[in-house]
Amino acid sequence: MTSVYSELDWIVFGLYGTLLIGSGLYFNRKKSINTQDYFLGGNTIPTWMVAISVLATSQSAATFLGGPDQGYQGDLSYLATNIGAVVAAVLVSIILIPKFYQNKVFTVYELLEKRMGSAAKKQAGMMYLFGRIFASGARLYMAALAVSMILFGNIDANSVIISTMVLTAAGLLYTVFGGIRSVIYGDVIQCAVYVSAAFFVIYFLYQAIPANFTQIIGALQYPAPGADSKLTLLKFDWDFSSSGVFNFWSAITGFVLLNFAAFGLDQDMTQRILTCKNVKEANKAMLLSVALVIPVMLLFIIIGLLLFILYQRPDIMHTAAASDLVQSFQGEKITIFMYYVLNEIPAGVRGLVTIGIIAAALSTLNSGLNSMSSVLVNDIYRPFKEKNKANLPESHFVKAGQVGMALVAITLCLMAILCFYWQRYTDMPLLKFALSVMVFSYSGLLGVFFTALFTQRGNSTSVLAALVIGFLITLCFQPYVMSLLLPESLIFDLGFTWQLCIGAFVSFLVCSFGTKKEMPIPVDACVER
């Protein structure tokens, strides 16, 4: 294996570096004067940009690297999870977005303040921060691992740590001064970069296969004697294990909850929606982002399908009988896409794929930096200062937001380094690993918000209990925890979507045990600044 780049690759790097520096300077030229501008872009961001930013935030290096694995090992069933995304987006646009704009919130957790008090808002914000550190840290790790393989030709600890630090520093410098406006504008550029990279890879893969389109489709419909078609979209098998998370039943249950939490309860994506001019534009951005994610997701699955033809159909490729590929790099299991990148990708395209990975990582990292800083400042730091009667100017909280972004960047960098060692104790595929990490925080948050939205029960005490229970239930479903608590004969494999359903339901019951307390703040004064 080699990571030597050609002159064309270095030209690609140079162009991307110039694009990053130039766009970063341009987007950060305007200083934010208040938190409304720094965290919400003054509610002036164009709808189409917000939609692409939500798309870029939902995608990541996990999708860039793990998506092709779904096509190579499986079929098109991962696309069916977008049924859940569409349902969730509609529900969020009807139930939550109007409330966000009505109450003029900076973060989604401010809704809880009206129903259950400031303590509940703070507790939910802390749970989001905890879960997002895990999820964003895992994605940063995956990107750093891939960059280390390609740039350094190894995955030694030093190389991975350097790659992690470089990605983190680039993401922070790109957005720290311009706030959410820089994040969204940057997301549009990064999305264009990694989608372009995917198109180029598909083109070169298609050119490398000595068959026409019809023959390729036929080979995918009948991949092997007795094997299911790789073009299957909907799977109706009753498989509750981790291998069955992409079937229809999971799509209309667990993935609805997962996407409802992502679109409506996760500040990482919801913050983009809050930058729109009004509720109508926010709903348009939400639904447009869901429509865009389907073709983008399909691109990466197509890469995997073409790689299947390349490596597993010698009759099509006119080569010797296919043999099992050793998908490892210095003892680390790698995806089929990384195997292709490290071994066979043409000159120039390797550089493009490298910046595609970096672009996917930066789009997700930048989003996390600003959204987590928003929660730190508006849900924790500002209330603390106001409680102590501190009369501080808005410029103070803008600076606090910038400091918060720096603290978040350091934390995510450390989490990514921890993931370097953590994943060595699990065989979970990259994409499922990244998706399942979010379940830890989403279980409790869903239970708490469902209680607040659909019942007249719950208080700050039951909120805390529900958040903790949701986390613990999800934790107990993890194989490495079950092996400590149960005999081997009782250990079972449950898909993360089903873990989310159970965790959210139990958290809802726990939160509902709390009786509603009368709040001293008026209904329409959740946040008035």
Side-chain angles (χ1 to χ4, degrees):
M1 295 183 181
T2 178
S3 61
V4 176
Y5 287 98
S6 68
E7 291 183 4
L8 185 56
D9 290 318
W10 287 110
I11 291 174
V12 171
F13 287 145
L15 292 174
Y16 181 63
T18 303
L19 178 65
L20 277 183
I21 295 172
S23 60
L25 291 173
Y26 181 77
F27 296 147
N28 286 284
R29 73 192 189 283
K30 180 182 178 181
K31 293 183 178 180
S32 299
I33 58 176
N34 54 49
T35 51
Q36 178 77 17
D37 192 51
Y38 190 74
F39 291 121
L40 298 181
N43 297 109
T44 60
I45 308 298
T47 303
W48 68 271
M49 279 192 169
V50 173
I52 293 177
S53 182
V54 173
L55 166 66
T57 302
S58 65
Q59 306 293 309
S60 67
T63 304
F64 198 98
L65 299 172
D69 251 22
Q70 297 302 318
Y72 182 79
Q73 298 179 11
D75 45 39
L76 296 177
S77 57
Y78 182 45
L79 283 177
T81 63
N82 286 289
I83 297 174
V86 171
V87 173
V90 172
L91 291 176
V92 169
S93 66
I94 294 173
I95 298 171
L96 287 175
I97 292 179
K99 293 182 182 294
F100 293 151
Y101 276 84
Q102 176 187 351
N103 291 282
K104 301 178 182 178
V105 301
F106 278 79
T107 74
V108 299
Y109 314 111
E110 292 177 25
L111 283 182
L112 295 178
E113 186 175 28
K114 181 178 69 173
R115 275 278 285 107
M116 301 173 181
S118 59
K121 175 186 71 172
K122 181 178 178 181
Q123 291 159 0
M126 292 294 288
M127 179 55 71
Y128 155 75
L129 290 173
F130 182 81
R132 182 47 58 190
I133 286 170
F134 270 79
S136 295
R139 284 161 168 74
L140 179 58
Y141 154 71
M142 291 174 219
L145 195 67
V147 170
S148 179
M149 289 178 188
I150 301 172
L151 286 181
F152 297 104
N154 63 68
I155 51 172
D156 297 339
N158 289 340
S159 298
V160 175
I161 290 173
I162 291 173
S163 298
T164 302
M165 295 174 66
V166 169
L167 287 173
T168 304
L172 178 62
L173 292 174
Y174 195 83
T175 58
V176 67
F177 299 108
I180 190 64
R181 185 177 283 105
S182 294
V183 171
I184 292 177
Y185 291 173
D187 279 347
V188 173
I189 292 176
Q190 306 302 343
C191 185
V193 169
Y194 71 72
V195 168
S196 298
F199 272 114
F200 272 95
V201 171
I202 289 173
Y203 172 78
F204 281 100
L205 277 171
Y206 186 74
Q207 292 298 313
I209 298 174
N212 58 38
F213 180 78
T214 302
Q215 291 172 317
I216 291 175
I217 293 298
L220 294 173
Q221 286 179 328
Y222 305 99
D228 295 332
S229 170
K230 295 185 71 64
L231 301 181
T232 300
L233 181 60
L234 297 175
K235 300 173 73 172
F236 295 93
D237 53 306
W238 293 95
D239 185 356
F240 295 94
S241 69
S242 57
S243 62
V245 295
F246 298 140
N247 63 32
F248 175 78
W249 313 114
S250 182
I252 62 173
T253 53
F255 271 102
V256 172
L257 291 180
L258 183 71
N259 284 285
F260 186 89
F263 291 141
L265 310 183
D266 190 327
Q267 181 70 5
D268 209 30
M269 278 200 272
T270 310
Q271 186 181 9
R272 277 121 200 84
I273 301 300
L274 297 178
T275 65
C276 290
K277 183 178 180 180
N278 52 43
V279 173
K280 182 178 180 181
E281 296 303 309
N283 285 337
K284 285 181 180 179
M286 172 71 72
L287 297 175
L288 179 58
S289 69
V290 175
L292 290 174
V293 78
I294 297 174
V296 172
M297 188 183 295
L298 179 61
L299 285 178
F300 293 101
I301 294 177
I302 289 174
I303 291 174
L305 294 175
L306 294 178
L307 287 172
F308 174 82
I309 300 292
L310 186 70
Y311 291 123
Q312 298 299 329
R313 289 301 301 264
D315 55 321
I316 299 292
M317 297 302 299
H318 307 300
T319 59
S323 58
D324 292 334
L325 299 177
V326 182
Q327 289 178 229
S328 66
F329 184 90
Q330 297 184 349
E332 175 76 13
K333 185 178 180 181
I334 59 176
T335 66
I336 189 62
F337 186 44
M338 279 304 301
Y339 179 90
Y340 172 70
V341 170
L342 293 169
N343 288 277
E344 299 185 38
I345 202 163
V349 185
R350 174 176 288 159
L352 189 59
V353 168
T354 303
I355 66 171
I357 296 170
I358 294 173
L362 288 180
S363 64
T364 304
L365 175 64
N366 294 345
S367 303
L369 294 180
N370 194 268
S371 61
M372 283 191 274
S373 178
S374 175
V375 172
L376 282 173
V377 172
N378 293 297
D379 291 347
I380 300 175
Y381 181 69
R382 185 192 286 267
F384 171 77
K385 285 295 186 180
E386 291 176 347
K387 183 178 180 181
N388 289 278
K389 309 299 182 181
N391 187 18
L392 298 171
E394 277 292 295
S395 58
H396 171 82
F397 293 106
V398 172
K399 291 179 180 178
Q402 294 170 345
V403 173
M405 287 184 71
L407 292 175
V408 169
I410 294 171
T411 304
L412 291 182
C413 184
L414 293 175
M415 185 64 209
I417 294 172
L418 176 62
C419 286
F420 174 75
Y421 299 100
W422 181 14
Q423 208 195 6
R424 275 153 177 71
Y425 295 96
T426 177
D427 294 326
M428 187 181 295
L430 286 175
L431 188 59
K432 292 179 182 177
F433 173 74
L435 287 173
S436 65
V437 168
M438 297 186 293
V439 177
F440 283 88
S441 60
Y442 283 176
S443 295
L445 287 173
L446 282 165
V448 168
F449 269 86
F450 285 163
T451 304
L453 291 169
F454 304 119
T455 76
Q456 293 300 313
R457 301 187 63 80
N459 53 51
S460 59
T461 302
S462 67
V463 166
L464 179 60
L467 292 172
V468 173
I469 289 296
F471 173 83
L472 292 177
I473 286 178
T474 307
L475 182 65
C476 289
F477 281 129
Q478 307 311 306
Y480 47 84
V481 174
M482 284 196 287
S483 63
L484 298 175
L485 303 176
L486 300 174
E488 187 175 352
S489 59
L490 295 180
I491 295 176
F492 58 93
D493 176 25
L494 185 66
F496 68 84
T497 49
W498 308 111
Q499 295 175 24
L500 181 61
C501 290
I502 296 172
F505 178 71
V506 175
S507 295
F508 171 74
L509 293 179
V510 171
C511 193
S512 298
F513 280 131
T515 56
K516 180 182 178 181
K517 295 181 179 179
E518 293 297 325
M519 301 307 303
I521 59 176
V523 170
D524 295 329
C526 179
V527 179
E528 276 296 337
R529 297 185 185 122

